[in-house]
Every structure is written in C-alpha cells, then in structure tokens.
Amino acid sequence: MKISIVERVLHFRQPAGTSRGVYTERKIWLVSIADGDAVGVGECAPLPLLSCDDLSDYQTVLRRFCDDVEQTGVIDEESLRDYPSMLFGLETAMRSLHAQQASQNTLHSTRDSQPPLLFSTPFARGEQGIPINGLIWMGSYDEMHQRISQKLEQGFRCIKLKIGAIDFDAELDLLRELRQHYGPRQLQLRVDANGAFPFEEALYKLELLSQYALHSIEQPIKAGQWSNMAELCRESPLPIALDEELIGINDPGQKRQMLNIIRPSYIILKPSLHGGMAGCREWIEIARDMGIGTWITSALESNIGLNAIAQFCSDVYGNQLTLPQGLGTGQLFTDNIPMPLEIRGDQLWICRNS
C-alpha cells in the first residue's frame, strides 16, 4: 500500500461571500491510496480560519498520518479525531480503494469515469436522487435577487440564503418579496448568519426574521457562547441550527454535553469539519437520542469530496432522506475535477452507465 498527496487550487466561478469574508479560490489536498492495480482517491479540504485542523504545516501533518496508514493498512480514527478534514480524505480514499478492488473481481468493472461505489445505496447506484437546497451566496441586493430567481427557475423548492453581510433591512426585503410570491408550502426558506449577529441584537433580529415562516436559521451568533446560544434557543421564535458551534468538539462526552446545554432544533454536519464520516455518525446518533434534527452539508469540496459526502448521506439516512441536504457546491468551480454528478431540478444525482 502506497499513499501519495497532491495539492490543488480550485477557482470559484464568482466570488463566494460569507459574513467571514469572500472566497475566490480553494486549496485542497488529494490523497491517493494505491494497492496493486487499484487506486482510491480522497479529498482533504480544510477551510481557512475555520477548520480546527487549518494548520500552517498541514501537508507535513497529513503526510505523517498517511505514513501510519501505509504501515498498518488501517486508519486510526481515534488519533485523527482532531484532524477531521484529513480523516475524511483518508476515509474516502480507503473506501474508494476497496470499491476499485471489488470492481476488479466482478465481470463488470467500474469505468474510470464513474464515481466509486463507496456505499451500496440507491443514490450511489444512480437509481435515486437526493433532495438539496439551492444556496444563495452573499452579495449586493441585486446579485442575490438574481441568484434567487435562477434557483427558482431551476426548480428548487428549498433555498438557503447567506445573510449578515449586506444591510439587514435589505435582506428582510428579499425574504418579504419571496414570501409574497411563494408560501411556506411552496418554498422552504433557510438562512445562515455564520455567527454575524451580536448577541444583544440577535433575538430582535430573529423575531423580525420569523415573520417570513423560515424553516431555520444557522448559527445566529459566533460559536463558543454556549450560555448565550442556549438562551437564544429557548427564546427564539425560529428553529436554530448549529454549524460552526460543532467545530473542534470531537470527544463524544463533550458533544453530548454541548447539545444538552444548548438544545438546538438542528445540527448541520460537514464531514470535513465535524469529524469525518465516523465523527458525523457519532454526532447523528447523539442528536437522535436527544430529539435533535440533523442534515448533512458539503463544505466547498471538489467533486471528489462532494461525491463522498452525498453517498455517505444516502447511507446515513436511507429511506428517511426527505429533508433537503446542502450538497450543491460542485458547480462553483471553473476547474473542478470531472465526475458525473448532476443536479436535476432540486435533486443531486449520480449518472452511471448501465
């Protein structure tokens, strides 16, 4: 078994704005595990200034973990708990390798252009789509308005808006206009503040947002304020979902403690940020025990990562996969890695040759 690492830079078709700043390019590391003629590929993609494993010597640390896997043939999930993007990349590469090895032992081997069958699910086999939300990045009022119109024309029935960067009244105007044309049964609306609201203003803003029958708001205040977030979850007229709040919490006991204190309506899981596939399964099991909803989102990965997250999502939720997931980022890059992933209406599909 031999593991190689290749660094790549992906470029956005248009600047992707959040309350933390604007992305124009995205650095990723592709890990390839070779064993005989079979090769599995995974993606390690930490987000700058956000991932708990956003390290200045990232590739050096990743190389050390790859060397361990080369020697043992297995991934030590426990030692990689605090390095979620590395764990996710290695998990994906190992599953991809096993899929390639399995295909070599069948009469109908997987063609190079086909995504590896990481999980045996209807979605992974190309028989079923996954419902997804249409993501509207921050921009000027006119830019966001145009992007919303495009998503509606494409057939999306759930739209998620990044808020907190332009004037709040302008964001309310956008929501008001949407609700004038589409009721809650026709269009589900989610908003993501990325921690943009000061705690002192948050409840008032949540009350204003609640006029528009929103499904939920993600991370209204900055992470790390457990008592303040718990108060918001108790008092908010809107369901609150946690995202950044989960980053860096990798111990099962601490996960349960945080959720028990804050008691959100939802948690949103990104394998690259929240513990790889193994860590996300752990989060979901704990959340289910506490009656907290979950959904899964990609985190600006290339198609390598998006494919893995989508297949993982289909395995985790099975027949319960009805809530729109956040899996539409593959179209953001001008130089994405080719893979037959396709958005049809408001669903993500894998296109497989029969």
Side-chain angles (χ1 to χ4, degrees):
M1 183 177 289
K2 182 70 175 176
I3 304 179
S4 60
I5 303 170
V6 175
E7 179 182 321
R8 283 193 59 165
V9 177
L10 304 175
H11 299 87
F12 285 85
R13 295 185 185 278
Q14 58 189 24
T18 76
S19 60
R20 291 186 301 270
V22 177
Y23 292 108
T24 58
E25 60 182 33
R26 178 82 164 98
K27 185 185 291 186
I28 64 171
W29 286 264
L30 298 177
V31 292
S32 300
I33 305 180
D35 189 5
D37 294 331
V39 180
V41 181
E43 177 178 354
C44 302
L47 280 170
L49 305 179
L50 185 61
S51 296
C52 62
D53 56 356
D54 174 34
L55 308 172
S56 59
D57 58 344
Y58 186 90
Q59 187 162 330
T60 300
V61 177
L62 176 59
R63 181 70 260 172
R64 188 178 76 235
F65 285 120
C66 289
D67 290 344
D68 291 342
V69 176
E70 281 184 342
Q71 293 174 13
T72 64
V74 297
I75 299 169
D76 184 353
E77 294 174 0
E78 195 64 32
S79 68
L80 279 157
R81 272 188 180 273
D82 294 331
Y83 305 89
S85 66
M86 299 183 196
L87 174 56
F88 175 61
L90 286 167
E91 286 175 314
T92 302
M94 190 66 78
R95 280 193 167 271
S96 178
L97 174 69
H98 292 161
Q100 293 294 327
Q101 291 171 330
S103 71
Q104 291 174 356
N105 295 326
T106 64
L107 292 176
H108 303 286
S109 63
T110 303
R111 294 176 60 177
D112 290 342
S113 61
Q114 297 291 291
L117 192 71
L118 306 179
F119 296 91
S120 184
T121 66
F123 168 78
R125 293 190 296 270
E127 301 164 1
Q128 192 176 87
I130 294 177
I132 61 175
N133 60 235
L135 178 61
I136 308 299
W137 290 96
M138 288 179 177
S140 69
Y141 179 93
D142 290 340
E143 287 171 338
M144 293 180 73
H145 192 281
Q146 182 181 12
R147 292 167 190 169
I148 290 169
S149 297
Q150 290 171 347
K151 293 297 183 186
L152 294 174
E153 289 173 5
Q154 291 167 14
F156 282 92
R157 292 170 292 177
C158 176
I159 288 179
K160 171 180 163 180
L161 288 82
K162 295 277 188 178
I163 64 172
I166 65 174
D167 178 70
F168 184 65
D169 288 337
E171 292 168 341
L172 291 176
D173 287 343
L174 275 172
L175 294 169
R176 184 182 303 112
E177 184 175 346
L178 276 170
R179 276 293 174 246
Q180 286 173 349
H181 294 91
Y182 304 94
R185 292 186 178 181
Q186 296 170 289
L187 181 66
Q188 186 179 96
L189 290 175
R190 299 170 175 171
V191 295
D192 182 2
N194 285 127
F197 299 163
F199 172 68
E200 296 76 15
E201 302 174 9
L203 188 57
Y204 173 66
K205 290 186 173 182
L206 293 177
E207 289 170 351
L208 293 176
L209 289 166
S210 70
Q211 301 174 77
Y212 305 110
L214 305 185
H215 171 269
S216 57
I217 180 168
E218 294 180 36
Q219 204 67 43
I221 62 174
K222 288 181 180 179
Q225 307 175 71
W226 288 11
S227 60
N228 288 344
M229 187 68 86
E231 182 178 336
L232 283 183
C233 288
R234 288 194 304 269
E235 302 295 333
S236 173
L238 279 177
I240 290 177
L242 302 185
D243 180 354
E244 289 93 336
E245 201 73 61
L246 313 182
I247 296 172
I249 300 177
N250 302 312
D251 175 75
Q254 193 177 14
K255 291 177 181 180
R256 189 174 294 276
Q257 179 189 28
M258 186 272 282
L259 292 181
N260 191 48
I261 290 171
I262 296 180
R263 291 285 173 169
S265 297
Y266 301 96
I267 59 173
I268 301 167
L269 296 159
K270 300 178 173 73
S272 291
L273 291 175
H274 301 136
M277 299 183 204
C280 285
R281 284 190 191 276
E282 198 171 72
W283 274 114
I284 290 168
E285 290 173 4
I286 294 170
R288 281 176 178 165
D289 287 346
M290 302 176 73
I292 296 169
T294 65
W295 71 85
I296 290 172
T297 301
S298 51
L300 306 181
E301 293 88 358
S302 76
N303 279 332
I304 298 291
L306 176 60
N307 168 64
I309 295 168
Q311 290 198 42
F312 169 67
C313 180
S314 70
D315 184 67
V316 167
Y317 294 121
N319 294 332
Q320 306 301 313
L321 190 49
T322 56
L323 193 68
Q325 309 293 301
L327 303 174
T329 59
Q331 297 177 324
L332 289 176
F333 305 112
T334 60
D335 45 6
N336 207 339
I337 296 163
M339 191 171 285
L341 295 167
E342 179 178 288
I343 295 177
R344 305 176 192 168
D346 65 346
Q347 293 190 339
L348 180 70
W349 285 76
I350 288 180
C351 304
R352 292 196 181 276
N353 298 329
S354 57

